[in-house]
Amino acid sequence: MASAACLLCYKIPAVLMLVHLIVSFLTAASAGNFYESIDNTWGDGRAKIFRNGELLTLSLDRASGSGFQSKNEYLFGMINIQIKLVPGNSAGTVTAYYLRSEGSSWDEIDYEFLGNQSGDPYIVHTNVYSQGKGEREQQFYLWFDPTADFHTYSILWNPGLIIFYVDGVPIREFKNLESIGLPYPKNQPMRIHSSLWNADDWATKGGLIKTDWTQAPFTASYRNFNANACVWSSATSSCISNSKSTSSAPHSRELDSTSHEKLKWVQRNYMIYNYCTDTKRFPQGLPPECALTNKS
């Protein structure tokens, strides 16, 4: 009996260690190499991978745009990618980077980078959909030229909140407010998508500025894709809660006081549209969550 118990003493920690290693591998999947982490989904060869999987480009010409999606689906996590946006006169173009589920009642977390005339700033358009309903837009200028170099655009998504980051600076926080009847994306796994496409009917100054096709092909570049996220497979998540990791894991992260100050700085200086202040759009009254978010 003593020897059997001793064997168990050695085997249980070993099994726990193996489980931890497997979970760590799955939750840190999709780091860096585009060959391993994404599929080019449309564009007839306009989406291209270079440098042994380290660099990806999407291009747009008059015939077609292009796009890719992640091989994995995720349910919660931190998604990071570095993008260098279309330079020069990119008016009429949209570079989209987003999470999206399948089906008619889909969930979605959006970045859309709206092209500009040379010398004008890009507009960063953000939105959150739950069960097919969006209309929660916020828009921002950036405090740098996003075409001169790569910058990191991140989405933190967990059961309590969604945070949009630019170079580690939070620009938007969207909280789970199911307590007041607001649907929140928490049950449907999502893939990462990105695309470059023509939207000159609305993208630049409401469609007044059209795409200048003499500037084509338009190209956006990507690198350092990393999904520290819960991989969804066979209707289960790879994430297993344990007391040693939850405090720092993406699925439990919140903004601290310093990050809240950075968020306020961005919204005070660079936000150019907020659906929660658009009384003309909602003449019957702002959406109910705005009464809470406008106080924060």
Side-chain angles (χ1 to χ4, degrees):
M1 289 291 291
S3 61
C6 186
L7 283 172
L8 282 174
C9 289
Y10 286 105
K11 286 182 178 180
I12 290 173
V15 170
L16 291 176
M17 178 70 74
L18 179 60
V19 170
H20 177 73
L21 288 172
I22 292 171
V23 170
S24 298
F25 173 77
L26 289 170
T27 57
S30 303
N33 191 299
F34 286 111
Y35 284 122
E36 297 173 0
S37 57
I38 69 99
D39 292 315
N40 292 333
T41 50
W42 64 284
D44 294 326
R46 292 173 178 83
K48 297 179 180 179
I49 299 175
F50 303 93
R51 299 179 189 170
N52 296 317
E54 293 182 356
L55 178 69
L56 182 149
T57 62
L58 297 181
S59 65
L60 163 70
D61 56 37
R62 188 183 287 273
S64 178
S66 51
F68 67 83
Q69 69 178 28
S70 62
K71 293 181 183 291
N72 289 323
E73 291 181 293
Y74 303 98
L75 187 65
F76 307 132
M78 177 70 124
I79 311 299
N80 305 287
I81 196 165
Q82 292 189 321
I83 308 174
K84 182 161 65 173
L85 295 174
V86 176
N89 183 2
S90 58
T93 71
V94 172
T95 305
Y97 157 52
Y98 56 101
L99 287 160
R100 183 183 168 110
S101 66
E102 302 295 329
S104 58
S105 296
W106 75 97
D107 294 340
E108 187 171 333
I109 305 169
D110 275 355
Y111 277 102
E112 290 184 322
F113 303 94
L114 311 185
N116 62 342
Q117 291 180 295
S118 298
D120 289 341
Y122 259 84
I123 292 175
V124 181
H125 177 98
T126 67
N127 203 353
V128 177
Y129 289 77
S130 184
Q131 300 172 26
K133 179 175 173 55
E135 299 183 346
R136 300 179 182 121
E137 301 92 343
Q138 290 183 358
Q139 294 182 339
F140 306 85
Y141 289 143
L142 293 168
W143 49 96
F144 53 83
D145 178 0
T147 72
D149 203 350
F150 287 91
H151 292 269
T152 303
Y153 303 94
S154 307
I155 297 170
L156 172 67
W157 170 40
N158 65 39
L161 52 75
I162 295 162
I163 304 172
F164 296 77
Y165 291 91
V166 176
D167 287 341
V169 176
I171 66 170
R172 179 177 185 180
E173 180 183 48
F174 185 89
K175 294 182 178 180
N176 182 337
L177 294 175
E178 290 178 302
S179 59
I180 64 168
L182 179 67
Y184 183 84
K186 69 174 189 178
N187 297 315
Q188 300 187 71
M190 296 195 266
R191 294 186 193 274
I192 297 109
H193 297 256
S194 190
S195 57
L196 175 57
W197 50 290
N198 179 45
D200 66 3
D201 57 332
W202 66 272
T204 307
K205 297 185 178 179
L208 293 176
I209 309 299
K210 301 299 183 182
T211 303
D212 181 359
W213 293 111
T214 66
Q215 303 296 313
F218 304 97
T219 302
S221 302
Y222 301 76
R223 70 182 187 189
N224 292 338
F225 167 58
N226 180 274
N228 180 16
C230 306
V231 177
W232 185 263
S233 179
S234 301
T236 59
S237 169
S238 65
C239 287
I240 299 174
S241 297
N242 72 66
S243 59
K244 293 183 179 180
S245 65
T246 53
S247 61
S248 60
H251 62 261
S252 63
R253 193 175 302 170
E254 297 180 349
L255 290 178
D256 58 20
S257 58
T258 301
S259 296
H260 267 295
E261 288 304 312
K262 291 179 180 179
L263 176 68
K264 290 178 182 178
W265 173 78
V266 171
Q267 296 192 339
R268 184 169 58 248
N269 293 286
Y270 295 99
M271 180 186 283
I272 60 172
Y273 177 80
N274 182 2
Y275 79 106
C276 270
T277 61
D278 193 345
T279 54
K280 291 183 178 179
R281 180 179 174 187
F282 302 104
Q284 304 304 315
L286 294 171
E289 68 271 17
C290 295
L292 298 175
T293 57
N294 287 341
K295 292 179 181 178
S296 60

